[in-house]
Amino acid sequence: MAFFRNAWRSLKIEIDASPIHEADENKDDLGKELYHNEDFKLIHVEEEEEGSFSMKLITPGDHYSVRRDVQSEGFYTISHFWGDTALCRPWTNHGILNDDGDPVEVMIRPEKCETILALLQANPGYWWIDLFCAQPSTPAVIMGDIFLHCNRCFVLADCKPSNLLDAATTMKDVLKTIESADGSHQKRIDRYVERLRYATGSKDMSWQSVFDDLFGDDNLDLCALAHVLNSQWFTRVSTLQEFALPPKLSILSETLFSHALLERSDLDRLFSKMLSILHGALNVFMDPVFPGYRRDIMALHMLEHRSLDKECALHISTNFSISCCYYTIKKVHEIQLSSLRLDATDTSNSVMHPIILHHYSNGLDLLPLHLASLAESPRMCADPSDYIYGVSGLLGIDIPRTSNRRLTWVAFKNELLKRAPYLTSIPRYYNFDDVTDMQSFYKFIPRDVLDERIDELFKAYQ
């Protein structure tokens, strides 16, 4: 086990340091392509003596021994929120050296510096963080393999340490309450149905509102978690794939004044339960005896809930059955519930990440499901080109980097048509100036065509 040291020697955080993929030869074979890629760089951290560390930027593809070590030990990743570039400052005393033995030049918001060093020095080995390991010329598509094949990703959320601490320490009690087998689950479904039965107009879809709707009578302390999920890290385009792809992921405050870690696996359990409440309510109002006019109103509100700020199918859980549940709610009159293997009382959550599923589950192509999820996402970025580059790793589409948006669009369109020739109505050119967020960018996707493909995907999953 490894522990945080450095500036927080008294704060010990136990981290499972074992490689995630060591027993899966198929995944390891896929990783070998990454380890030979000249654009894949890592920071190698070695403790030379107590409290003294050597940190150097290396390219595994150039060194057989390093490549062998990385394949054996694995590597960690760090995901963070860049923030306003005007707030970034040169970071020169980090101690990470390039091939020439000189400090790597980086710009960063200063409040993250000590946290990053604490993570690196608490777990000597191999690390990837874009600050040091990515260049403007680094192909965007490589991010998919990097985050898919890492041991664990550490997220530095731009939230108050006190909120992160409260969310992490209360999660155990929250899960114990909502996963108990005392009949409360059906009561939550009944209460939610009653709320929808008398709902009118549109609702506030903040995280706290969603928690109140689904667990309002359980006296759960979810306020701190709502604040964590409202941090800007959860609003950016590039962090979507960084959240969805890693086998394991831990969230901590970027200022690390507490030693708490919020685990994505716990979030998966929480949101799986939330979705099973939606699923149970769906069973109720699909009953033919339920008044049709109320069914339409309830469907409207469940549509607003279904992606928890319009993107939960990739944002919070990449469980394929849960994603199916979302699209069942959207197409409530078109897909039979019996085709979805998600029972309303099921609390199990065997997470299957989208790209892993694409590679290992009978060749199912999840591109339609991914595109449909992106078309629902309110995430934003400063450069509209990043609505392509920022998710190319998730989509598995290699687009050469260029500052010419017209060339970026043409390359993206051509690659999309190779993967999905059924998308025949993609515009020849695209006006990036009208884009305000992810969903406004991906509005060019013909949803009726995607829905047909998603229907076929569900049938193949049966």
Side-chain angles (χ1 to χ4, degrees), residues 5 9 47-53:
R5 293 190 292 268
R9 292 178 181 273
E47 185 171 17
E48 297 179 335
E49 56 185 48
E50 180 66 28
S52 177
F53 297 87

Side-chain angles (χ1 to χ4, degrees), residues 320-331 334-336 338-341 364-366 368-369 372 450-462:
F320 186 51
S321 295
I322 294 175
S323 297
C324 290
C325 179
Y326 280 125
Y327 287 96
T328 302
I329 297 171
K330 181 177 185 298
K331 297 166 62 59
E334 302 174 31
I335 304 177
Q336 295 298 319
S338 60
S339 68
L340 303 181
R341 299 176 181 178
L364 292 179
D365 184 2
L366 297 191
L369 196 59
L450 280 187
D451 286 345
E452 290 178 8
R453 295 288 167 170
I454 291 171
D455 286 350
E456 294 176 4
L457 192 60
F458 290 172
K459 292 175 183 178
Y461 183 65
Q462 294 183 50

Side-chain angles (χ1 to χ4, degrees), residues 19-35 71-72 148-149 356 359-360:
I20 303 303
H21 302 316
E22 59 184 359
D24 192 325
E25 295 181 358
N26 290 326
K27 294 176 188 175
D28 190 57
D29 287 342
L30 287 172
K32 288 179 181 178
E33 294 185 12
L34 173 66
Y35 305 143
Q71 287 182 254
S72 173
L148 180 63
H149 292 287
I356 296 178
H359 284 305
Y360 296 108

Side-chain angles (χ1 to χ4, degrees), residues 38 67 112 201 233 300 377 425:
E38 288 297 311
R67 193 163 59 247
K112 296 183 291 185
W233 186 89
L300 173 64
S377 172
S425 61

